[in-house]
Amino acid sequence: MEIKRPLLLISNDDGYQAKGINSLVEMLADYGDIIVCAPESACSGMACAFSATTPLRLRLREKRDGVEIWSCNGTPVDCVKIALAEIVPRKPDMVIGGINHGDNASVNVHYSGTMGVTLEGCMKYIPSVAFSLCDHQEDADFEPLRPLIRKISSQILTVGLPQGVCLNVNFPQVAEFKGVRVCRMAKGTWDNEVTQCHHPRGYDYWWMVGNYSNDEPDADDTDNWALAHGYVAITPTQIDVTAYSALERIRSWNL
């Protein structure tokens, strides 16, 4: 009986041409068959958005031994949905988001298109992981990430993940990692998020910008602390966002 190689579905929010996703494909090419379905262009900040009113287009960009690369004009989540519906020959063994150019720690998990990929895979009951590097440069050096990305991916393929749980893995931009921390997401906030500008043609417009603030800088069990101190941060992230600690309090209301 023929033994099928693992099938990996990979997407991102930086676009199919980004160095991060192409580096990831090269790192894991010997782990199984790879199908990439990624946005045609950058879709940062899309989170779990999908296209409810816009028609989607698919384009096969490259096909070689064990690797197919597709692009889609939709969001990162669109890419996963359409790949699962139209491209993959069977249920993937793993869904991977990344490697993202820039970190997705703390509350950024709620905005990240890379995490949107991973959460979508997790909601389809597929072991899923996101990889991000704290470097926004187009030519960022992803090579130091190779050993850990391979180890983490191998572990997931071998033992899986709890149902409803995916991994958010962030790498600091340092010459050498001090180690790995399995940690919680930090409490953080964005402020000064909108800046107003005036166009020479006479109208005002706004850019979404903002400054991030770590609201618990002294807590040493968070992803922000790990990254700031040179550690790789692995944060188990779950689909169920129920605030169980508040259930009884809300039930006690006189409703």
Side-chain angles (χ1 to χ4, degrees), residues 103 105-111 184-191 193 211-217 219 222-225:
D103 83 271
S106 185
V107 293
N108 294 326
V109 69
H110 296 292
Y111 303 113
R184 64 178 177 89
M185 61 176 281
K187 297 175 183 177
T189 51
W190 283 88
D191 55 24
E193 294 183 86
N211 300 307
Y212 173 76
S213 174
N214 178 5
D215 294 340
E216 43 181 352
T222 71
D223 49 9
N224 277 170
W225 187 96

Side-chain angles (χ1 to χ4, degrees), residues 160-235:
L161 289 169
Q163 191 173 96
V165 173
C166 56
L167 297 184
N168 181 18
V169 183
N170 288 277
F171 294 84
Q173 186 185 5
V174 294
E176 185 175 349
F177 304 130
K178 289 185 178 179
V180 176
R181 290 287 183 101
V182 179
C183 49
R184 64 178 177 89
M185 61 176 281
K187 297 175 183 177
T189 51
W190 283 88
D191 55 24
N192 299 319
E193 294 183 86
V194 180
T195 183
Q196 183 176 0
C197 304
H198 188 73
H199 196 278
R201 293 187 177 179
Y203 58 86
D204 291 332
Y205 62 96
W206 290 262
W207 281 107
M208 296 296 292
V209 286
N211 300 307
Y212 173 76
S213 174
N214 178 5
D215 294 340
E216 43 181 352
D218 296 327
D220 62 5
D221 62 341
T222 71
D223 49 9
N224 277 170
W225 187 96
L227 294 171
H229 291 81
Y231 291 90
V232 177
I234 300 179
T235 304

